[in-house]
Amino acid sequence: MMIQTYHITGMSCQGCRNHVEEALRNVQGVLNADVDLDNAKAVIEMSEHIPTDKLQAALAGSQYGIHPQHEAHLHKKEKKNVPAGKGSGIYYCPMHCEGDKTYDQPGSCPICGMDLVQRPMSPAEATDDSSYRKLLTKFKVAIAFTLPIFIIAMSEMVPNNPLYKIMDLKHWNLTTFFLSLPVVFYATRMFFQRAWTSVISRHLNMFTLIGIGAGAAWLFSVAAVCFPGIFPSEFKNHEGTVHVYFEAATVILTLVLLGQLLEAKAHGKTNAAIKALLQLSPRTATKITSHGDISIDIEQVQHGDRLRVKPGEKIPVDGRITEGESVIDESMITGEALPVEKTQGSVVTAGTINGHKSFEMIAEKIGTETILAQIIDMVHQAGSSRAPIQKLADKISSYFVPIVVLIALLTFIIWQIFGPAPSAVYAFVNAVAVLIIACPCALGLATPMSVMVGVGKGAQSGVLIKNAEALEKMAQTDVVVIDKTGTATEGRPTVEKVVTLQPEKTTGERLQQIISLNQHSEHPLARAILHFAGHKNINPLSVENFEAHGGKGVTGKIGGRTIALGNRKLMEQMKTGIPVAAAKAIHAEAEQGKTVSYLSEEQELTGYVVFSDKIKPDAGEAVRQLQDKGLSVLMFTGDNEQSARLVAETLGLDGFKAGMLPQDKWKAVKALQEQGKKVAMAGDGINDAPALSQADVGIAMGTGTDVAIESAAITLLNGDLSGIVKAQRLSTATMRNIRQNLWFALGYNVIGIPIAAGLLFPAFGWLLSPMIAALAMCFSSVSVIGNALRLRKVIL
């Protein structure tokens, strides 16, 4: 075996790197290939020497080149389409037309024409909603001009139309023409640009239909207003005017613009999740130097720097404690509410919160190497994927569009050759009728209307659904993964019982001592004790010489006697003996995953407090209902093995994994997906965010953190697992409704297009006027809307 390093040219993004790496690995004789995008090189392991031209042949037909490393200086390194400097963002196409390709400048996708979306790299960029604000301005303009056009058009249905007393129909048609100009040439111009781009790039999509359908209706109407004489008499009314379709064109375009506005808002919410994560990282660090402590920007921290972390501060980077000890809140990583004791040599993680003691640490992982940075990256990678339901609509469009255009062209040619005089006019009018009846209004509404109603129905039942992807994939789910703390359980320690070991002392007296020691503490266990005793009307006693022992417990003097409350280490420090019977009882509690605090008085064990995290009342029934539907229910938790096993056995889960960090959960979800499973993940903490984003459907507890909620596609407002069952029922009903809508939308086209083309003219002399075509188009939309509204009656 031998290892060779090569210089790679032509790469601009992670998508390029993946393509080159895969191509090289497929070369016969290559054992492995690792491509480094930043340094533009590839390290290849091969069984024997492979000529460079053979490696280049694997990249034939692409813009990539491979050269021996010693020739790297001969090949100018190209600028990568990645951020170049602090504050820059990565721009990508939300349709992912070019895979993972990114750009370093804003603009539009060269394939589909969609506006590029920015991946935020700082909290400020995460709040940048310039695209949304631009679309909102355009939408307001579109509404301002479309509404009067619609009113003018609909007034024709009013007897003795009052508008005709102001002007005749000819001048009202001219008015609607001028009113449509700002809509077509300003507010929705990008749709026609995207339609043109889709034709040029041969990636036909919904914008192709919108551009052709709405464009044909508008151009027909312009011709009707400006050149009415070219139309045959049967297309004119008694006043000699031709029916115009400015209202159809502008309403369609405005509705599509509304959809784009909502999509931009959704991207803003995705960025909000990343913003929440970015804000967890501190902006400065305290560096220890030979001249004393100095405050530096977090980006100036280098590997090996000695840093000081003060009480209450966030850990600046990943590293290891070199001097001191403290208790650190790691709930953002592990999901566990209890702080973790850290001593010399312990690993600490960026973004976690220090307790009440100062310590020194050495920086081992900085910048993008930290666990927090990796969590942010994982959330973005999984969260920027495209909804499959939109791919379905585009796939239909890719076949539907060329067929419609071909039929319109054939209609024009046939009528031009065989039609009555004036054959050219008949050919044009019938071709336009084909395009108008094929306008994608109903097809465009088929998905969003069902999603809109389905989302509304879910909200009424306490199930908030962020996007169509969640609705589609929830019905396909094979595996449901749940977190333990805050998802299957209440997520906070509660006092289960207080045990006294001295018969002469009542539980109430021991509880009074415990409350007295904890009356001013903010520790989660102290809060649980105070909550437990809140309704017992117990007055705290005066405490002298109070002292908090980090990671162990608290001590103080009550009535001149030393009282201690804490863990086993505190008892050892106080030289308190543990009777054999008490030790066995406490060990039995710990075996069930419970936490125990010891209570001693003058070095004698007098009692203990048992804490537990209660399982949610509805969790068991929800798990059984999911299993009855054929789903496997697993639990991934950062908690210990004993606690996890107890919960898993109580709920009857199909399996569990304990002691998992955020990246472990993410990898485990990804592994399930690689097995072909459709995974729904339910969690409530920051530590769940990567797995929630990676899962096919992320489900957050509404009682959890903002990051978890923003990273998930579904939020259960009440934090009940029964909401997962409701979400699946709603998903199944919505997807069925969408398929029905697609049949409605396409059914009218299948029937209407042949009639519009003139198929019935030879036998019956019937022609489908563009006005009737527009009516049929509207009726198909009404059918789709009516069918979608039926979702409101679904029982969850």
Side-chain angles (χ1 to χ4, degrees):
M1 185 186 76
M2 60 187 305
I3 300 177
Q4 295 285 347
T5 301
Y6 296 86
H7 179 66
I8 306 295
T9 60
M11 295 191 301
S12 61
C13 64
Q14 287 296 333
C16 298
R17 186 195 72 82
N18 294 339
H19 179 84
V20 172
E21 195 170 75
E22 183 178 0
L24 293 176
R25 287 177 177 176
N26 288 331
V27 175
Q28 186 176 1
V30 171
L31 303 177
N32 189 34
D34 291 317
V35 177
D36 185 342
L37 174 65
D38 293 329
N39 297 307
K41 68 178 184 180
V43 179
I44 303 178
E45 296 180 18
M46 53 189 78
S47 55
E48 58 184 17
H49 177 69
I50 300 175
T52 304
D53 56 356
K54 184 176 180 181
L55 297 174
Q56 182 60 58
L59 302 174
S62 67
Q63 74 269 28
Y64 313 117
I66 183 168
H67 313 277
Q69 185 66 15
H70 66 271
E71 297 181 6
H73 67 283
L74 301 176
H75 306 278
K76 184 179 179 181
K77 185 176 180 180
E78 300 179 12
K79 181 181 178 182
K80 303 190 300 292
N81 285 326
V82 295
K86 182 180 178 181
S88 297
I90 297 176
Y91 296 87
Y92 64 94
C93 174
M95 313 292 276
H96 297 280
C97 296
E98 299 177 281
D100 295 328
K101 186 171 184 178
T102 58
Y103 299 84
D104 57 0
Q105 296 293 333
S108 57
C109 173
I111 302 298
C112 70
M114 284 286 287
D115 291 337
L116 298 177
V117 176
Q118 182 184 18
R119 170 185 176 180
M121 302 299 289
S122 71
E125 289 171 359
T127 58
D128 182 14
D129 59 349
S130 55
S131 296
Y132 172 77
R133 285 186 278 107
K134 288 177 183 178
L135 285 174
L136 182 60
T137 299
K138 291 183 177 182
F139 180 68
K140 289 178 179 178
V141 171
I143 285 289
F145 287 94
T146 298
L147 191 58
I149 293 174
F150 183 76
I151 292 173
I152 293 170
M154 293 300 102
S155 68
E156 295 182 15
M157 303 175 66
V158 178
N160 300 319
N161 190 341
L163 294 184
Y164 291 165
K165 297 178 181 179
I166 302 174
M167 287 189 298
D168 59 20
L169 179 59
K170 177 180 178 181
H171 288 90
W172 278 119
N173 287 346
L174 191 62
T175 300
T176 56
F177 164 63
F178 285 113
L179 287 172
S180 71
L181 294 177
V183 179
V184 173
F185 290 97
Y186 169 69
T188 62
R189 180 180 60 184
M190 67 277 200
F191 297 151
F192 296 103
Q193 292 173 333
R194 292 173 185 175
W196 177 249
T197 300
S198 70
V199 173
I200 295 299
S201 64
R202 297 182 182 179
H203 284 73
L204 304 182
N205 52 40
M206 288 297 295
F207 294 113
T208 319
L209 285 174
I210 292 163
I212 293 176
W218 189 81
L219 289 173
F220 175 88
S221 302
V222 171
V225 169
C226 299
F227 311 103
I230 66 173
F231 293 89
S233 58
E234 52 262 43
F235 289 95
K236 298 179 182 178
N237 57 22
H238 64 280
E239 296 181 6
T241 61
V242 180
H243 186 79
V244 295
Y245 306 96
F246 291 119
E247 83 287 353
T250 54
V251 166
I252 290 169
L253 292 170
T254 302
L255 286 174
V256 175
L257 183 59
L258 174 61
Q260 295 292 290
L261 185 68
L262 295 176
E263 184 176 335
K265 189 72 172 178
H267 280 296
K269 290 181 178 179
T270 300
N271 287 346
I274 300 176
K275 174 193 172 186
L277 286 168
L278 288 168
Q279 289 178 334
L280 292 173
S281 180
R283 306 314 306 159
T284 60
T286 302
K287 182 177 179 179
I288 302 173
T289 69
S290 57
H291 302 290
D293 293 356
I294 60 172
S295 179
I296 61 174
D297 189 271
I298 196 69
E299 295 181 1
Q300 295 178 320
V301 177
Q302 301 293 322
H303 291 98
D305 281 354
R306 292 173 58 230
L307 307 174
R308 189 183 308 281
V309 183
K310 299 175 183 178
E313 288 186 341
K314 293 180 179 178
I315 312 301
V317 296
D318 291 2
R320 195 176 299 274
I321 294 178
T322 56
E323 185 176 331
E325 61 179 31
S326 188
V327 175
I328 296 178
D329 178 3
E330 294 188 330
S331 59
M332 61 159 285
I333 299 296
T334 64
E336 295 305 306
L338 297 179
V340 180
E341 181 182 358
K342 298 287 185 177
T343 58
Q344 186 173 340
S346 297
V347 174
V348 291
T349 305
T352 56
I353 302 173
N354 186 24
H356 302 294
K357 289 187 177 181
S358 177
F359 63 84
E360 296 179 13
M361 63 173 288
I362 186 170
E364 295 181 339
K365 294 181 180 180
I366 62 175
T368 57
E369 301 170 344
T370 66
I371 291 177
L372 179 59
Q374 292 171 18
I375 291 174
I376 294 171
D377 186 58
M378 286 185 286
V379 169
H380 179 269
Q381 286 183 30
S384 60
S385 60
R386 188 182 174 211
I389 194 67
Q390 186 58 47
K391 295 179 182 178
L392 173 62
D394 282 347
K395 188 173 183 179
I396 293 174
S397 301
S398 67
Y399 292 102
F400 182 63
V401 173
I403 291 173
V404 169
V405 173
L406 180 61
I407 292 174
L409 288 173
L410 289 174
T411 299
F412 184 89
I413 293 171
I414 292 172
W415 278 93
Q416 175 70 38
I417 297 174
F418 302 105
S423 60
V425 174
Y426 276 103
F428 174 75
V429 170
N430 288 324
V432 168
V434 169
L435 291 173
I436 289 178
I437 202 169
C439 189
C441 190
L443 187 59
L445 287 173
T447 295
M449 274 303 301
S450 295
V451 170
M452 188 184 304
V453 178
V455 167
K457 176 65 177 180
Q460 293 175 353
S461 304
V463 180
L464 298 185
I465 300 169
K466 186 181 293 185
N467 54 45
E469 182 178 11
L471 279 172
E472 178 178 5
K473 290 189 174 181
M474 193 64 205
Q476 305 167 355
T477 299
D478 302 310
V479 179
V480 175
V481 177
I482 61 174
D483 177 43
K484 183 182 80 70
T485 307
T487 303
T489 67
E490 297 289 349
R492 59 181 182 274
T494 57
V495 176
E496 184 174 300
K497 59 184 175 181
V498 177
V499 179
T500 179
L501 299 178
Q502 296 176 330
E504 68 275 13
K505 294 287 186 179
T506 65
T507 301
E509 290 177 297
R510 292 304 177 202
L511 186 57
Q512 187 177 39
Q513 291 179 331
I514 294 169
I515 292 172
S516 301
L517 285 174
N518 285 291
Q519 57 186 310
H520 301 300
S521 176
E522 290 298 320
H523 193 283
L525 294 183
R527 290 198 297 269
I529 290 171
L530 295 175
H531 182 268
F532 174 76
H535 63 284
K536 297 183 181 296
N537 297 320
I538 298 176
N539 296 319
L541 301 172
S542 176
V543 179
E544 298 177 346
N545 300 331
F546 175 83
E547 184 178 358
H549 303 264
K552 298 178 183 178
V554 294
T555 59
K557 284 196 172 185
I558 299 177
R561 296 178 66 82
T562 300
I563 310 296
L565 178 68
N567 58 24
R568 185 67 177 260
K569 291 183 179 180
L570 181 62
M571 295 300 104
E572 293 173 356
Q573 178 180 317
M574 302 299 295
K575 298 182 180 179
T576 300
I578 310 295
V580 175
K584 288 183 178 180
I586 292 171
H587 179 73
E589 299 288 356
E591 282 290 317
Q592 297 181 44
K594 299 173 184 177
T595 301
V596 178
S597 286
Y598 298 78
L599 179 67
S600 70
E601 182 175 340
E602 294 293 342
Q603 300 181 342
E604 180 183 359
L605 188 69
T606 58
Y608 57 89
V609 185
V610 179
F611 300 88
S612 63
D613 186 6
K614 293 182 180 179
I615 295 174
K616 291 182 177 179
D618 72 312
E621 179 61 26
V623 168
R624 282 189 289 274
Q625 290 187 30
L626 290 170
Q627 290 173 334
D628 288 344
K629 292 177 176 290
L631 280 72
S632 296
V633 184
L634 309 176
M635 183 174 70
F636 295 166
T637 178
D639 206 351
N640 62 71
E641 182 86 10
Q642 291 177 343
S643 297
R645 184 178 300 280
L646 176 66
V647 173
E649 291 176 351
T650 303
L651 295 179
L653 301 179
D654 296 298
F656 74 94
K657 291 184 179 181
M660 304 186 79
L661 293 175
Q663 59 266 41
D664 297 327
K665 294 184 180 182
W666 176 70
K667 290 177 181 177
V669 169
K670 197 170 184 181
L672 287 171
Q673 292 172 324
E674 289 173 352
Q675 296 172 18
K677 303 291 186 182
K678 297 293 184 182
V679 182
M681 167 74 186
D684 75 319
I686 295 169
N687 61 309
D688 299 317
L692 288 173
S693 295
Q694 177 61 41
D696 297 280
V697 183
I699 304 172
M701 302 295 109
T703 52
T705 64
D706 290 341
V707 173
I709 292 171
E710 293 293 349
S711 300
I714 297 176
T715 299
L716 308 181
L717 286 181
N718 297 326
D720 296 332
L721 288 181
S722 59
I724 301 177
V725 180
K726 294 179 181 179
Q728 194 194 49
R729 289 174 182 164
L730 181 62
S731 171
T732 303
T734 302
M735 290 310 302
R736 182 171 58 246
N737 193 271
I738 288 174
R739 294 187 187 97
Q740 292 168 350
N741 282 349
L742 290 174
W743 279 110
F744 272 122
L746 294 174
Y748 283 102
N749 292 125
V750 170
I751 297 172
I753 288 177
I755 298 175
L759 186 66
L760 301 180
F761 184 79
F764 304 99
W766 292 351
L767 285 178
L768 186 65
S769 165
M771 180 171 62
I772 302 300
L775 182 63
M777 177 192 69
C778 293
F779 188 62
S780 67
S781 299
V782 171
S783 300
V784 165
I785 293 171
N787 187 55
L789 291 176
R790 293 192 307 111
L791 281 172
R792 295 185 298 182
K793 299 180 180 179
V794 172
I795 299 175
L796 300 181

